[in-house]
CSV table of all heavy atoms in Angstrom, one decimal:
chain,number,residue,atom,x,y,z
A,1380,MET,N,2.2,-0.6,-4.3
A,1380,MET,CA,1.6,-1.3,-3.2
A,1380,MET,C,1.5,-0.3,-2.1
A,1380,MET,O,2.4,0.5,-1.8
A,1380,MET,CB,2.6,-2.4,-2.9
A,1380,MET,CG,2.1,-3.3,-1.7
A,1380,MET,SD,3.0,-4.8,-1.4
A,1380,MET,CE,4.3,-4.1,-0.4
A,1381,ILE,N,0.4,-0.4,-1.3
A,1381,ILE,CA,0.2,0.5,-0.2
A,1381,ILE,C,0.2,-0.4,1.1
A,1381,ILE,O,-0.5,-1.4,1.2
A,1381,ILE,CB,-1.2,1.2,-0.3
A,1381,ILE,CG1,-1.3,1.9,-1.6
A,1381,ILE,CG2,-1.4,2.1,1.0
A,1381,ILE,CD1,-0.4,3.1,-1.8
A,1382,VAL,N,1.1,0.0,2.1
A,1382,VAL,CA,1.1,-0.7,3.4
A,1382,VAL,C,0.9,0.4,4.4
A,1382,VAL,O,1.8,1.2,4.6
A,1382,VAL,CB,2.5,-1.4,3.6
A,1382,VAL,CG1,2.5,-2.1,4.9
A,1382,VAL,CG2,2.8,-2.3,2.4
A,1383,GLU,N,-0.3,0.5,5.0
A,1383,GLU,CA,-0.6,1.6,5.9
A,1383,GLU,C,-1.6,1.0,6.9
A,1383,GLU,O,-2.6,0.3,6.6
A,1383,GLU,CB,-1.2,2.7,5.1
A,1383,GLU,CG,-1.8,3.8,5.9
A,1383,GLU,CD,-0.8,4.5,6.7
A,1383,GLU,OE1,0.2,5.0,6.2
A,1383,GLU,OE2,-1.0,4.6,8.0
A,1384,ILE,N,-1.4,1.4,8.2
A,1384,ILE,CA,-2.3,0.9,9.3
A,1384,ILE,C,-3.6,1.8,9.4
A,1384,ILE,O,-4.6,1.4,9.9
A,1384,ILE,CB,-1.6,0.7,10.6
A,1384,ILE,CG1,-1.0,2.0,11.1
A,1384,ILE,CG2,-0.6,-0.4,10.5
A,1384,ILE,CD1,-0.4,2.0,12.5
A,1385,GLU,N,-3.5,3.0,8.9
A,1385,GLU,CA,-4.6,4.0,9.0
A,1385,GLU,C,-5.4,3.9,7.7
A,1385,GLU,O,-4.9,4.2,6.6
A,1385,GLU,CB,-4.1,5.4,9.2
A,1385,GLU,CG,-3.4,5.7,10.5
A,1385,GLU,CD,-4.3,5.6,11.7
A,1385,GLU,OE1,-5.5,5.9,11.5
A,1385,GLU,OE2,-3.9,5.3,12.8
A,1386,ALA,N,-6.6,3.4,7.8
A,1386,ALA,CA,-7.5,3.1,6.7
A,1386,ALA,C,-7.7,4.4,5.8
A,1386,ALA,O,-7.7,4.3,4.6
A,1386,ALA,CB,-8.8,2.5,7.1
A,1387,LEU,N,-8.0,5.5,6.4
A,1387,LEU,CA,-8.2,6.7,5.7
A,1387,LEU,C,-7.0,7.2,4.9
A,1387,LEU,O,-7.1,7.6,3.7
A,1387,LEU,CB,-8.7,7.9,6.6
A,1387,LEU,CG,-10.1,7.7,7.2
A,1387,LEU,CD1,-10.4,8.8,8.1
A,1387,LEU,CD2,-11.2,7.6,6.1
A,1388,ILE,N,-5.8,7.1,5.4
A,1388,ILE,CA,-4.6,7.4,4.7
A,1388,ILE,C,-4.4,6.5,3.6
A,1388,ILE,O,-4.1,6.9,2.4
A,1388,ILE,CB,-3.4,7.4,5.7
A,1388,ILE,CG1,-3.6,8.5,6.7
A,1388,ILE,CG2,-2.1,7.6,4.9
A,1388,ILE,CD1,-2.5,8.5,7.8
A,1389,ALA,N,-4.6,5.2,3.8
A,1389,ALA,CA,-4.5,4.2,2.7
A,1389,ALA,C,-5.4,4.5,1.6
A,1389,ALA,O,-5.0,4.4,0.4
A,1389,ALA,CB,-4.7,2.8,3.3
A,1390,LEU,N,-6.7,4.7,1.9
A,1390,LEU,CA,-7.7,5.0,0.9
A,1390,LEU,C,-7.3,6.3,0.1
A,1390,LEU,O,-7.5,6.3,-1.1
A,1390,LEU,CB,-9.1,5.1,1.5
A,1390,LEU,CG,-9.6,3.8,2.0
A,1390,LEU,CD1,-11.0,4.0,2.7
A,1390,LEU,CD2,-9.8,2.8,0.8
A,1391,ASN,N,-6.8,7.3,0.8
A,1391,ASN,CA,-6.5,8.5,0.1
A,1391,ASN,C,-5.3,8.3,-0.9
A,1391,ASN,O,-5.3,8.8,-2.0
A,1391,ASN,CB,-6.1,9.6,1.2
A,1391,ASN,CG,-5.9,10.9,0.6
A,1391,ASN,OD1,-6.5,11.3,-0.5
A,1391,ASN,ND2,-5.1,11.8,1.2
A,1392,LEU,N,-4.3,7.5,-0.4
A,1392,LEU,CA,-3.2,7.2,-1.3
A,1392,LEU,C,-3.6,6.4,-2.5
A,1392,LEU,O,-3.2,6.6,-3.6
A,1392,LEU,CB,-2.1,6.4,-0.5
A,1392,LEU,CG,-1.2,7.2,0.4
A,1392,LEU,CD1,-0.3,6.3,1.2
A,1392,LEU,CD2,-0.3,8.1,-0.5
A,1393,ILE,N,-4.5,5.4,-2.3
A,1393,ILE,CA,-5.0,4.6,-3.4
A,1393,ILE,C,-5.7,5.5,-4.4
A,1393,ILE,O,-5.5,5.4,-5.6
A,1393,ILE,CB,-6.0,3.5,-2.8
A,1393,ILE,CG1,-5.1,2.5,-2.1
A,1393,ILE,CG2,-6.7,2.9,-4.0
A,1393,ILE,CD1,-6.0,1.5,-1.3
A,1394,ASN,N,-6.6,6.4,-3.9
A,1394,ASN,CA,-7.3,7.2,-4.8
A,1394,ASN,C,-6.4,8.2,-5.6
A,1394,ASN,O,-6.6,8.4,-6.8
A,1394,ASN,CB,-8.4,8.0,-4.1
A,1394,ASN,CG,-9.6,7.2,-3.6
A,1394,ASN,OD1,-9.8,6.1,-4.2
A,1394,ASN,ND2,-10.2,7.6,-2.5
A,1395,LEU,N,-5.4,8.7,-4.9
A,1395,LEU,CA,-4.5,9.6,-5.6
A,1395,LEU,C,-3.7,8.9,-6.7
A,1395,LEU,O,-3.5,9.4,-7.8
A,1395,LEU,CB,-3.5,10.2,-4.6
A,1395,LEU,CG,-4.0,11.3,-3.7
A,1395,LEU,CD1,-3.0,11.6,-2.6
A,1395,LEU,CD2,-4.4,12.5,-4.4
A,1396,LEU,N,-3.3,7.7,-6.4
A,1396,LEU,CA,-2.5,6.9,-7.4
A,1396,LEU,C,-3.4,6.4,-8.6
A,1396,LEU,O,-3.0,6.4,-9.7
A,1396,LEU,CB,-1.8,5.7,-6.7
A,1396,LEU,CG,-0.7,6.1,-5.8
A,1396,LEU,CD1,-0.2,4.9,-5.0
A,1396,LEU,CD2,0.5,6.7,-6.6
A,1397,LYS,N,-4.6,6.0,-8.3
A,1397,LYS,CA,-5.5,5.6,-9.3
A,1397,LYS,C,-5.9,6.8,-10.2
A,1397,LYS,O,-6.1,6.6,-11.4
A,1397,LYS,CB,-6.8,5.0,-8.8
A,1397,LYS,CG,-6.5,3.6,-8.3
A,1397,LYS,CD,-7.7,2.9,-7.8
A,1397,LYS,CE,-7.5,1.4,-7.4
A,1397,LYS,NZ,-8.7,0.7,-7.0
A,1398,ASP,N,-6.0,8.0,-9.7
A,1398,ASP,CA,-6.3,9.2,-10.5
A,1398,ASP,C,-5.2,9.5,-11.5
A,1398,ASP,O,-5.5,10.0,-12.6
A,1398,ASP,CB,-6.4,10.4,-9.6
A,1398,ASP,CG,-7.8,10.5,-8.8
A,1398,ASP,OD1,-8.7,9.7,-9.1
A,1398,ASP,OD2,-7.9,11.3,-7.9
A,1399,ILE,N,-4.0,9.1,-11.2
A,1399,ILE,CA,-2.9,9.3,-12.2
A,1399,ILE,C,-2.6,7.9,-12.9
A,1399,ILE,O,-1.5,7.8,-13.4
A,1399,ILE,CB,-1.7,9.9,-11.6
A,1399,ILE,CG1,-1.1,9.1,-10.4
A,1399,ILE,CG2,-2.0,11.3,-11.2
A,1399,ILE,CD1,0.2,9.6,-9.8
A,1400,LYS,N,-3.6,7.1,-13.0
A,1400,LYS,CA,-3.6,5.8,-13.8
A,1400,LYS,C,-2.6,4.8,-13.4
A,1400,LYS,O,-2.1,4.0,-14.2
A,1400,LYS,CB,-3.3,6.2,-15.3
A,1400,LYS,CG,-4.2,7.3,-15.8
A,1400,LYS,CD,-5.7,6.8,-15.8
A,1400,LYS,CE,-6.5,7.9,-16.4
A,1400,LYS,NZ,-7.8,8.1,-15.8
A,1401,HIS,N,-2.3,4.7,-12.1
A,1401,HIS,CA,-1.4,3.6,-11.6
A,1401,HIS,C,-2.3,2.4,-11.1
A,1401,HIS,O,-3.4,2.6,-10.6
A,1401,HIS,CB,-0.6,4.0,-10.4
A,1401,HIS,CG,0.6,4.9,-10.8
A,1401,HIS,ND1,1.7,4.4,-11.3
A,1401,HIS,CD2,0.7,6.3,-10.8
A,1401,HIS,CE1,2.5,5.4,-11.6
A,1401,HIS,NE2,1.9,6.5,-11.3
A,1402,HIS,N,-1.8,1.2,-11.3
A,1402,HIS,CA,-2.5,0.0,-10.7
A,1402,HIS,C,-2.0,-0.2,-9.3
A,1402,HIS,O,-0.8,-0.2,-9.1
A,1402,HIS,CB,-2.1,-1.2,-11.6
A,1402,HIS,CG,-2.8,-2.4,-11.1
A,1402,HIS,ND1,-4.2,-2.7,-11.3
A,1402,HIS,CD2,-2.4,-3.5,-10.5
A,1402,HIS,CE1,-4.5,-3.8,-10.8
A,1402,HIS,NE2,-3.4,-4.4,-10.3
A,1403,VAL,N,-2.9,-0.3,-8.4
A,1403,VAL,CA,-2.5,-0.3,-6.9
A,1403,VAL,C,-2.9,-1.6,-6.3
A,1403,VAL,O,-4.0,-2.1,-6.5
A,1403,VAL,CB,-3.3,0.8,-6.2
A,1403,VAL,CG1,-2.9,0.8,-4.7
A,1403,VAL,CG2,-3.0,2.2,-6.8
A,1404,HIS,N,-1.9,-2.2,-5.6
A,1404,HIS,CA,-2.1,-3.4,-4.8
A,1404,HIS,C,-2.2,-3.0,-3.3
A,1404,HIS,O,-1.5,-2.2,-2.8
A,1404,HIS,CB,-0.9,-4.4,-4.9
A,1404,HIS,CG,-0.8,-4.9,-6.3
A,1404,HIS,ND1,-1.6,-5.8,-6.9
A,1404,HIS,CD2,0.1,-4.5,-7.3
A,1404,HIS,CE1,-1.2,-6.1,-8.1
A,1404,HIS,NE2,-0.2,-5.3,-8.4
A,1405,GLY,N,-3.1,-3.6,-2.6
A,1405,GLY,CA,-3.3,-3.3,-1.2
A,1405,GLY,C,-4.6,-2.6,-1.0
A,1405,GLY,O,-5.5,-2.5,-1.9
A,1406,PRO,N,-4.8,-2.1,0.1
A,1406,PRO,CA,-3.8,-1.8,1.2
A,1406,PRO,C,-3.6,-3.1,2.1
A,1406,PRO,O,-4.4,-3.9,2.2
A,1406,PRO,CB,-4.5,-0.7,2.0
A,1406,PRO,CG,-5.9,-1.0,1.9
A,1406,PRO,CD,-6.1,-1.5,0.5
A,1407,ALA,N,-2.4,-3.1,2.6
A,1407,ALA,CA,-2.0,-4.1,3.7
A,1407,ALA,C,-1.9,-3.3,5.0
A,1407,ALA,O,-1.3,-2.2,5.0
A,1407,ALA,CB,-0.8,-4.8,3.3
A,1408,ALA,N,-2.3,-3.9,6.1
A,1408,ALA,CA,-2.2,-3.2,7.3
A,1408,ALA,C,-1.3,-3.9,8.3
A,1408,ALA,O,-1.0,-3.4,9.4
A,1408,ALA,CB,-3.6,-3.1,8.0
A,1409,LYS,N,-0.7,-5.1,7.9
A,1409,LYS,CA,0.2,-5.8,8.7
A,1409,LYS,C,1.4,-6.2,7.9
A,1409,LYS,O,1.3,-6.4,6.6
A,1409,LYS,CB,-0.5,-7.1,9.3
A,1409,LYS,CG,-1.6,-6.7,10.2
A,1409,LYS,CD,-2.3,-8.0,10.7
A,1409,LYS,CE,-3.4,-7.6,11.6
A,1409,LYS,NZ,-4.1,-8.7,12.2
A,1410,SER,N,2.5,-6.4,8.5
A,1410,SER,CA,3.8,-6.8,7.8
A,1410,SER,C,3.6,-8.1,7.1
A,1410,SER,O,4.1,-8.3,6.0
A,1410,SER,CB,5.0,-6.7,8.7
A,1410,SER,OG,4.8,-7.6,9.8
A,1411,VAL,N,3.0,-9.1,7.7
A,1411,VAL,CA,2.8,-10.4,7.1
A,1411,VAL,C,2.0,-10.3,5.8
A,1411,VAL,O,2.4,-10.9,4.8
A,1411,VAL,CB,2.1,-11.4,8.1
A,1411,VAL,CG1,1.7,-12.7,7.4
A,1411,VAL,CG2,3.0,-11.6,9.3
A,1412,GLN,N,1.0,-9.5,5.8
A,1412,GLN,CA,0.1,-9.3,4.7
A,1412,GLN,C,0.9,-8.5,3.6
A,1412,GLN,O,0.8,-8.9,2.4
A,1412,GLN,CB,-1.1,-8.4,5.1
A,1412,GLN,CG,-2.2,-8.4,4.1
A,1412,GLN,CD,-3.4,-7.5,4.7
A,1412,GLN,OE1,-3.2,-6.6,5.5
A,1412,GLN,NE2,-4.6,-7.9,4.2
A,1413,ALA,N,1.7,-7.6,4.0
A,1413,ALA,CA,2.5,-6.8,3.0
A,1413,ALA,C,3.6,-7.7,2.3
A,1413,ALA,O,3.8,-7.6,1.1
A,1413,ALA,CB,3.2,-5.7,3.7
A,1414,LYS,N,4.2,-8.6,3.1
A,1414,LYS,CA,5.2,-9.5,2.5
A,1414,LYS,C,4.5,-10.5,1.5
A,1414,LYS,O,5.1,-10.8,0.5
A,1414,LYS,CB,5.8,-10.3,3.6
A,1414,LYS,CG,6.8,-9.5,4.4
A,1414,LYS,CD,7.4,-10.3,5.6
A,1414,LYS,CE,8.1,-9.4,6.5
A,1414,LYS,NZ,8.6,-10.2,7.7
A,1415,ALA,N,3.3,-10.9,1.8
A,1415,ALA,CA,2.6,-11.8,0.9
A,1415,ALA,C,2.2,-11.0,-0.4
A,1415,ALA,O,2.4,-11.6,-1.5
A,1415,ALA,CB,1.3,-12.3,1.5
A,1416,PHE,N,1.7,-9.8,-0.3
A,1416,PHE,CA,1.4,-8.9,-1.5
A,1416,PHE,C,2.7,-8.7,-2.3
A,1416,PHE,O,2.7,-8.9,-3.5
A,1416,PHE,CB,0.9,-7.6,-1.0
A,1416,PHE,CG,-0.6,-7.5,-0.8
A,1416,PHE,CD1,-1.0,-6.7,0.2
A,1416,PHE,CD2,-1.5,-8.1,-1.6
A,1416,PHE,CE1,-2.4,-6.6,0.4
A,1416,PHE,CE2,-2.8,-8.0,-1.4
A,1416,PHE,CZ,-3.3,-7.2,-0.4
A,1417,ALA,N,3.8,-8.4,-1.6
A,1417,ALA,CA,5.0,-8.1,-2.3
A,1417,ALA,C,5.6,-9.3,-3.1
A,1417,ALA,O,6.0,-9.2,-4.3
A,1417,ALA,CB,6.1,-7.6,-1.4
A,1418,SER,N,5.5,-10.5,-2.5
A,1418,SER,CA,6.0,-11.7,-3.2
A,1418,SER,C,5.1,-12.1,-4.3
A,1418,SER,O,5.5,-12.6,-5.3
A,1418,SER,CB,6.3,-12.8,-2.2
A,1418,SER,OG,5.1,-13.2,-1.6
A,1419,ALA,N,3.8,-11.9,-4.1
A,1419,ALA,CA,2.8,-12.3,-5.2
A,1419,ALA,C,2.8,-11.3,-6.3
A,1419,ALA,O,2.6,-11.8,-7.5
A,1419,ALA,CB,1.4,-12.4,-4.5
A,1420,THR,N,3.0,-10.0,-6.1
A,1420,THR,CA,2.8,-9.0,-7.1
A,1420,THR,C,4.1,-8.4,-7.6
A,1420,THR,O,4.1,-7.8,-8.7
A,1420,THR,CB,1.8,-7.9,-6.7
A,1420,THR,OG1,2.4,-7.3,-5.5
A,1420,THR,CG2,0.5,-8.5,-6.3
A,1421,GLN,N,5.1,-8.5,-6.9
A,1421,GLN,CA,6.4,-7.8,-7.2
A,1421,GLN,C,6.2,-6.4,-7.7
A,1421,GLN,O,6.5,-6.1,-8.8
A,1421,GLN,CB,7.2,-8.7,-8.2
A,1421,GLN,CG,7.5,-10.0,-7.7
A,1421,GLN,CD,8.4,-10.8,-8.6
A,1421,GLN,OE1,8.6,-10.4,-9.7
A,1421,GLN,NE2,8.8,-12.0,-8.1
A,1422,PRO,N,5.7,-5.5,-6.8
A,1422,PRO,CA,5.5,-4.1,-7.2
A,1422,PRO,C,6.7,-3.3,-7.5
A,1422,PRO,O,7.8,-3.6,-7.1
A,1422,PRO,CB,4.8,-3.5,-5.9
A,1422,PRO,CG,5.4,-4.3,-4.8
A,1422,PRO,CD,5.6,-5.7,-5.4
A,1423,ASP,N,6.5,-2.3,-8.4
A,1423,ASP,CA,7.6,-1.4,-8.7
A,1423,ASP,C,7.9,-0.4,-7.7
A,1423,ASP,O,9.0,0.2,-7.6
A,1423,ASP,CB,7.3,-0.7,-10.1
A,1423,ASP,CG,7.2,-1.6,-11.2
A,1423,ASP,OD1,8.0,-2.6,-11.3
A,1423,ASP,OD2,6.4,-1.4,-12.1
A,1424,LEU,N,6.8,-0.1,-6.9
A,1424,LEU,CA,6.9,1.0,-5.9
A,1424,LEU,C,6.0,0.6,-4.7
A,1424,LEU,O,5.0,0.0,-4.9
A,1424,LEU,CB,6.4,2.3,-6.5
A,1424,LEU,CG,6.4,3.5,-5.6
A,1424,LEU,CD1,7.8,3.9,-5.2
A,1424,LEU,CD2,5.7,4.7,-6.3
A,1425,ALA,N,6.5,0.9,-3.5
A,1425,ALA,CA,5.7,0.6,-2.3
A,1425,ALA,C,5.7,1.9,-1.4
A,1425,ALA,O,6.7,2.5,-1.1
A,1425,ALA,CB,6.2,-0.6,-1.5
A,1426,PHE,N,4.5,2.2,-0.9
A,1426,PHE,CA,4.3,3.2,0.1
A,1426,PHE,C,4.1,2.5,1.4
A,1426,PHE,O,3.1,1.8,1.6
A,1426,PHE,CB,3.1,4.1,-0.2
A,1426,PHE,CG,3.3,5.1,-1.3
A,1426,PHE,CD1,3.0,4.7,-2.6
A,1426,PHE,CD2,3.8,6.3,-1.1
A,1426,PHE,CE1,3.2,5.5,-3.7
A,1426,PHE,CE2,4.0,7.2,-2.2
A,1426,PHE,CZ,3.7,6.8,-3.5
A,1427,ILE,N,5.1,2.6,2.3
A,1427,ILE,CA,5.0,1.8,3.6
A,1427,ILE,C,5.0,2.7,4.8
A,1427,ILE,O,5.8,3.6,4.9
A,1427,ILE,CB,6.3,0.9,3.6
A,1427,ILE,CG1,6.3,-0.1,2.4
A,1427,ILE,CG2,6.2,0.1,4.9
A,1427,ILE,CD1,7.5,-0.9,2.3
A,1428,ASP,N,4.1,2.5,5.7
A,1428,ASP,CA,4.0,3.2,6.9
A,1428,ASP,C,5.2,3.0,7.7
A,1428,ASP,O,5.6,1.8,8.0
A,1428,ASP,CB,2.7,2.7,7.7
A,1428,ASP,CG,2.4,3.4,9.0
A,1428,ASP,OD1,3.3,4.2,9.5
A,1428,ASP,OD2,1.3,3.3,9.4
A,1429,MET,N,5.9,4.0,8.1
A,1429,MET,CA,7.2,3.9,8.9
A,1429,MET,C,6.9,3.3,10.3
A,1429,MET,O,7.9,2.8,10.9
A,1429,MET,CB,7.8,5.3,9.0
A,1429,MET,CG,8.2,5.9,7.7
A,1429,MET,SD,9.6,5.0,7.0
A,1429,MET,CE,10.9,5.3,8.1
A,1430,ASN,N,5.7,3.4,10.8
A,1430,ASN,CA,5.4,2.9,12.2
A,1430,ASN,C,4.7,1.6,12.1
A,1430,ASN,O,4.0,1.3,13.1
A,1430,ASN,CB,4.6,4.0,12.9
A,1430,ASN,CG,5.4,5.2,13.1
A,1430,ASN,OD1,6.5,5.2,13.5
A,1430,ASN,ND2,4.8,6.4,12.9
A,1431,LEU,N,4.8,0.8,11.1
A,1431,LEU,CA,4.1,-0.4,10.9
A,1431,LEU,C,4.6,-1.4,12.0
A,1431,LEU,O,5.8,-1.7,12.0
A,1431,LEU,CB,4.4,-1.0,9.5
A,1431,LEU,CG,3.6,-2.2,9.1
A,1431,LEU,CD1,2.1,-1.9,9.0
A,1431,LEU,CD2,4.1,-2.8,7.8
A,1432,PRO,N,3.7,-2.0,12.8
A,1432,PRO,CA,4.2,-2.9,13.8
A,1432,PRO,C,4.7,-4.2,13.1
A,1432,PRO,O,4.2,-4.7,12.2
A,1432,PRO,CB,2.9,-3.3,14.6
A,1432,PRO,CG,2.0,-2.2,14.3
A,1432,PRO,CD,2.3,-1.6,12.9
A,1433,GLY,N,5.8,-4.7,13.7
A,1433,GLY,CA,6.4,-6.0,13.1
A,1433,GLY,C,7.2,-5.8,11.9
A,1433,GLY,O,7.7,-6.8,11.3
A,1434,ALA,N,7.5,-4.6,11.5
A,1434,ALA,CA,8.3,-4.4,10.3
A,1434,ALA,C,9.7,-4.4,10.6
A,1434,ALA,O,10.2,-4.2,11.6
A,1434,ALA,CB,7.9,-3.1,9.6
């Protein structure tokens, strides 16, 4: 799961993970959206922006 407020960073992470055959959920840009993704998909790994507002 990708949680990132910067669209270009999120897209870069998604592409990198897909290149190595991972299934990616997201990106989420808000903590509310990230919580919904996490509860719906129960990801094994999450890349989360450390400066995410409301986190």
Side-chain angles (χ1 to χ4, degrees):
M1380 182 172 85
I1381 306 294
V1382 183
E1383 174 61 58
I1384 58 174
E1385 295 290 332
L1387 291 176
I1388 294 172
L1390 290 174
N1391 191 26
L1392 281 171
I1393 290 168
N1394 289 333
L1395 288 170
L1396 291 169
K1397 284 185 175 182
D1398 285 347
I1399 56 174
K1400 309 298 184 216
H1401 285 279
H1402 182 73
V1403 180
H1404 296 285
K1409 298 181 180 180
S1410 60
V1411 172
Q1412 193 179 30
K1414 289 175 188 175
F1416 274 142
S1418 62
T1420 62
Q1421 297 185 354
D1423 294 326
L1424 178 68
F1426 288 88
I1427 302 173
D1428 186 342
M1429 295 292 293
N1430 296 314
L1431 186 68

